[in-house]
Amino acid sequence: MTVAAVPSRVRRPRRERDGDDTGVSARQWFTPWLLIAPGGLWLLIFFILPLFSLGRLSLEDGGLSNYSTVISDNSTVIIRTFVYATISTVAAIVIGYPLAYVIATKGGKYKNFLLALVILPFFVTYLVRTLSWKILLFDGGPVVAILQSLGILNDNQSILGSPFAVVSALTYNFLPFMVLPIYVSLEKMDRRLLDAAADLYSSPARAFRKITLRLSLPGLFAGTLLTFIPAAGDFVNSELLGSDRTVMIGQIIEKNFGKEFFRPELSALSFMLMAMILVGVIVYARLLGTEEIA
Amino acid sequence: MTSPTAVGLSAPVIEIDHVVKRFGDFVAVDDANFSIGQGEFFSMLGPSGCGKTTTLRMIAGFEQPTSGAIRLDGIDVSKIPPNKRDVNTVFQQYALFPHMNVFDNVSFGPQAQNVDKATIKKRVSEILEIVRLTEFASRRPAQLSGGQQQRVALARALVNLPKALLLDEPLGALDLKLRHAMQFELKRIQREVGITFVYVTHDQEEALTMSDRIAVMSDGRVEQIGTPAEIYDNPATVFVAGFIGQANLWSATCTDRSATLATVSALGGSMLSGSCVADSVRAGAPVTLMVRPERISISVNPPSGDMQSVNATVTDLSFQGPVVRLALSAPDGSPIIANIDPDADLPLLRPGHNVWASWAPTAACVLPDAPDQPRTLDDIVDEG
């Protein structure tokens, strides 16, 4: 802003530069800072500072060795967490992309209604939504009964407590976060581009690959972040629908923070989760091509 | 009406064979029947909703005719999807791929046809040369001006060397000056590549400037097909006369009809004659007499010789640069518009002056009346 103010000062005759001029440029300089101040302060106090102290805590007692301890102690859980988060994100793409595509391209006057249906689960609390899956999946429940009668499950097998239950519920809970950004990017795409692609000898499949998919990458990227990050940090789904076999990082942090507050290893585990998500996001952005996402 | 199977066409590239297109109850194209020749610059001209774009979309393959056939090089393509037709389109708003640079946009078609890389590179740079965009190959569409985007759209279609290039109001988004420049540019490019152009426009000046032949359309029907001069000088219908250029259109009654001439009573009982080709014009029939404003001469004394003339009163004068526009009133009150040379040898005219308006018999056309034809000149001039 100060840079922008310079040419106008140079252009103006000397006489007019007196008086209010400094006030105007000061205001010009000040306004953007004033606008970001509330949000900035909020983030500083409630995000940066706690994060900083958590980071410092993670290095107390053992220093960096806290991290190696935490990783070797929990390697199975860490790998399981990322596998679950990845599978549920991929599943959300597989289910969510066609859904968003159909709503955006064929929804017509029902677009808003269909979008409302996608968001409908949010009107019910996360906890209640997940708890209701227990009723759906318990051993005498309808899903198990159907699967057993079809011979997919043995009589002594159950779904509740299985990785399948946890991953399915993760997918279900974060699906709207995948659908909405993809929908937005498909909605704003100019449909005539597909006419142009067909005119230029492209089959519908090639037109989808070269045009539709490419132009929806920003939405796909945003949807992936909004699904993968909360899924990787989640502790509710596995707690309610899983078992000892499905423990995720979030559960370990949540459980132990409850008992022994402020332990360096737990801080290290939290930080490591954050770092791994960050690395995963960067790798993913690279794979998709940063230019397309910007 | 000019014969629909075009005159002097050796090998038609596109044949529109009695094509009808309905959307529900609405007839968008009503029995279109004409051919477009190899290397021709053919325009479809008409107001919005006349069926010109629908016809173009049927040639491209985006719509299928309800009945009739569309043939490309003699082969019926009516049921073939657009990606398997050897024609390419320049879209109204260009529809350039925003995530690709100019080179990738232009090479999109050849790549879909699996042309090898070296050939693609050669052909794309050749075509970029022709549309003068060589140095912009790595830019994205958003980084180009409207005129440059237009030329990318042209290059993207032409690089495929289609049997015909279909252009849907391609200059509509450009400002007037650029539009004039691009008209010449399009003609030059068409001459250079020698490909048939099928051009859709509502701008009569654009169609007259560029076309070899024009199909004038109205309400889904082809009103007339002919060269710009034929259509301008000998319009087949009142609609065509009114839509192309300016025209004086006077209600008249036919009194006598020969093979190519008709005599009518008009403008308060004057017996006037004009060329006539319509079969429906017979003695006693209500007709419209058409004379272009620039074909009318003004004199103070009655003209001698073979001229048709009407005594009229000056009502208004306006200077319009190259011409003076003179509004006159015929004895029956009908308006007469004459565009005259500012250097014409005339005394200073003022409203109220009595003069003679005259024109050669060949300048007048007798047209059959359409039921819903516009009645006053202003109706028509406003559209022009």
Side-chain angles (χ1 to χ4, degrees):
Chain A
M1 284 315 284
T2 43
V3 176
V6 170
S8 71
R9 198 179 287 175
V10 171
R11 256 185 278 114
R12 261 188 250 172
R14 195 163 271 279
R15 271 173 294 146
E16 288 179 35
R17 269 183 49 204
D18 303 329
D20 278 341
D21 187 60
T22 44
V24 169
S25 73
R27 208 185 306 151
Q28 280 178 349
W29 178 86
F30 196 63
T31 309
W33 292 108
L34 200 68
L35 288 172
I36 62 167
L41 277 176
W42 184 275
L43 283 178
L44 183 72
I45 296 169
F46 294 110
F47 176 65
I48 307 276
L49 289 183
L51 202 65
F52 182 74
S53 58
L54 196 68
R56 237 181 32 186
L57 183 66
S58 76
L59 295 172
E60 271 173 22
D61 292 353
L64 277 175
S65 71
N66 286 341
Y67 282 85
S68 50
T69 315
V70 128
I71 291 174
S72 58
D73 285 358
N74 297 293
S75 57
T76 326
V77 176
I78 292 169
I79 291 168
R80 181 190 296 138
T81 300
F82 280 87
V83 168
Y84 283 9
T86 306
I87 294 174
S88 55
T89 304
V90 171
I93 293 174
V94 170
I95 300 168
Y97 197 103
L99 186 61
Y101 182 87
V102 169
I103 298 175
T105 58
K106 314 263 192 262
K109 59 181 174 178
Y110 299 110
K111 262 184 199 172
N112 289 334
F113 174 71
L114 292 170
L115 278 181
L117 286 186
V118 170
I119 309 169
L120 198 63
F122 283 133
F123 288 92
V124 178
T125 324
Y126 183 35
L127 211 58
V128 175
R129 252 188 289 155
T130 311
L131 272 173
S132 67
W133 269 53
K134 255 189 146 140
I135 300 167
L136 197 69
L137 299 181
F138 82 106
D139 282 351
V143 175
V144 173
I146 291 170
L147 290 181
Q148 281 177 345
S149 72
L150 289 173
I152 295 170
L153 280 183
N154 293 332
D155 286 353
N156 54 359
Q157 274 181 314
S158 55
I159 297 180
L160 218 54
S162 70
F164 175 78
V166 177
V167 171
S168 307
L170 282 172
T171 307
Y172 157 75
N173 271 314
F174 300 115
L175 184 64
F177 294 121
M178 182 63 80
V179 174
L180 292 180
I182 295 176
Y183 167 81
V184 169
S185 60
L186 287 173
E187 221 296 301
K188 69 179 184 195
M189 190 185 89
D190 184 353
R191 310 276 303 145
R192 286 172 299 193
L193 297 178
L194 298 180
D195 272 359
D199 190 68
L200 296 163
Y201 313 102
S202 292
S203 63
R206 183 176 192 265
F208 176 79
R209 231 167 355 99
K210 295 275 180 181
I211 311 295
T212 313
L213 189 59
R214 297 303 289 275
L215 289 174
S216 65
L217 280 187
L220 193 63
F221 181 72
T224 303
L225 295 193
L226 292 175
T227 308
F228 182 81
I229 295 173
D234 187 79
F235 61 91
V236 174
N237 288 279
S238 171
E239 185 68 37
L240 296 180
L241 305 172
S243 60
D244 293 349
R245 293 183 293 141
T246 66
V247 176
M248 294 174 74
I249 300 178
Q251 278 172 285
I252 290 184
I253 295 172
E254 186 263 342
K255 275 219 172 78
N256 293 305
F257 254 120
K259 282 186 215 144
E260 301 165 63
F261 214 53
F262 291 130
R263 240 172 54 189
E265 302 96 279
L266 280 179
S267 306
L269 188 60
S270 309
F271 249 71
M272 193 219 48
L273 177 64
M274 201 175 72
M276 288 179 83
I277 289 173
L278 208 63
V279 169
V281 166
I282 290 169
V283 169
Y284 180 61
R286 276 289 162 84
L287 284 178
L288 276 187
T290 31
E291 214 179 349
E292 250 67 49
I293 287 148
Chain B
M1 190 152 160
T2 315
S3 157
T5 37
V7 224
L9 287 181
S10 48
V13 174
I14 299 170
E15 288 164 87
I16 312 287
D17 186 357
H18 293 286
V19 165
V20 176
K21 177 65 184 179
R22 284 195 197 91
F23 295 104
D25 287 342
F26 176 70
V27 182
V29 177
D30 187 3
D31 196 25
N33 191 38
F34 55 88
S35 309
I36 300 169
Q38 169 58 46
E40 204 178 5
F41 197 120
F42 187 90
S43 293
M44 291 191 275
L45 171 67
S48 58
C50 72
K52 57 192 191 299
T53 297
T54 305
T55 307
L56 196 78
R57 288 177 63 82
M58 283 193 285
I59 301 173
F62 299 123
E63 308 282 354
Q64 291 191 352
T66 311
S67 67
I70 290 171
R71 282 190 286 276
L72 259 181
D73 266 354
I75 296 156
D76 187 352
V77 295
S78 310
K79 300 280 185 293
I80 293 178
N83 54 322
K84 296 192 175 126
R85 291 194 194 191
D86 205 2
V87 293
N88 292 111
T89 308
V90 175
F91 292 87
Q92 202 164 5
Q93 306 293 332
Y94 318 138
L96 299 178
F97 304 127
H99 56 297
M100 298 179 191
N101 64 25
V102 169
F103 184 92
D104 292 336
N105 262 283
V106 176
S107 60
F108 192 87
Q111 267 171 10
Q113 293 184 301
N114 297 319
V115 178
D116 67 275
K117 273 210 166 111
T119 315
I120 291 179
K121 201 152 184 246
K122 185 165 152 284
R123 261 161 63 181
V124 171
S125 46
E126 273 170 16
I127 203 77
L128 287 180
E129 185 97 15
I130 289 177
V131 300
R132 297 176 179 156
L133 281 174
T134 307
E135 62 271 42
F136 297 96
S138 55
R139 295 240 193 132
R140 296 268 180 116
Q143 298 168 301
L144 300 174
S145 72
Q148 289 164 342
Q149 290 181 23
Q150 214 276 328
R151 283 180 284 158
V152 176
L154 204 59
R156 186 178 68 171
L158 282 175
V159 75
N160 305 295
L161 303 173
K163 292 206 170 79
L165 183 72
L166 314 176
L167 303 100
D168 186 6
E169 306 247 10
L171 307 183
L174 304 179
D175 64 54
L176 188 66
K177 217 168 168 186
L178 198 53
R179 206 150 67 212
H180 281 292
M182 278 307 295
Q183 287 176 9
F184 288 102
E185 195 70 0
L186 276 176
K187 269 307 263 191
R188 174 185 68 79
I189 290 165
Q190 199 239 352
R191 271 196 306 272
E192 253 173 68
V193 295
I195 288 172
T196 305
F197 276 34
V198 184
Y199 191 96
V200 157
T201 180
H202 67 273
D203 183 333
Q204 44 111 357
E205 186 227 316
E206 222 168 83
L208 289 176
T209 309
M210 293 191 283
S211 316
D212 295 320
R213 282 190 311 147
I214 301 172
V216 185
M217 296 181 71
S218 162
D219 286 335
R221 284 187 316 276
V222 177
E223 296 263 329
Q224 185 175 11
I225 296 178
T227 65
E230 278 166 13
I231 283 180
Y232 188 82
D233 292 334
N234 295 302
T237 64
V238 175
F239 174 83
V240 174
F243 194 74
I244 313 274
Q246 297 184 350
N248 288 293
L249 295 165
W250 300 307
S251 311
T253 308
C254 183
T255 57
D256 188 35
R257 170 74 203 263
S258 68
T260 57
L261 273 180
T263 306
V264 300
S265 160
L267 297 174
S270 303
M271 297 306 276
L272 303 163
S273 62
S275 56
C276 181
V277 288
D279 293 335
S280 60
V281 173
R282 302 216 168 81
V287 292
T288 297
L289 182 67
M290 188 229 47
V291 181
R292 298 279 179 198
E294 70 276 12
R295 305 295 290 270
I296 297 178
S297 324
I298 299 296
S299 56
V300 177
N301 300 311
S304 54
D306 200 18
M307 299 292 270
Q308 313 268 303
S309 59
V310 175
N311 193 266
T313 313
V314 177
T315 56
D316 192 30
L317 272 155
S318 55
F319 178 72
Q320 296 194 324
V323 295
V324 173
R325 187 171 136 122
L326 199 56
L328 307 144
S329 174
D332 68 336
S334 302
I336 302 172
I337 300 290
N339 288 343
I340 56 174
D341 189 342
D343 297 332
D345 184 21
L346 281 169
L348 194 60
L349 293 174
R350 292 230 180 276
H353 283 182
N354 211 288
V355 294
W356 289 87
S358 58
W359 56 89
T362 49
C365 290
V366 176
L367 308 172
D369 257 7
D372 55 347
Q373 68 180 67
R375 262 296 152 222
T376 66
L377 180 65
D378 283 333
D379 288 348
I380 290 156
V381 170
D382 284 348
E383 288 169 22

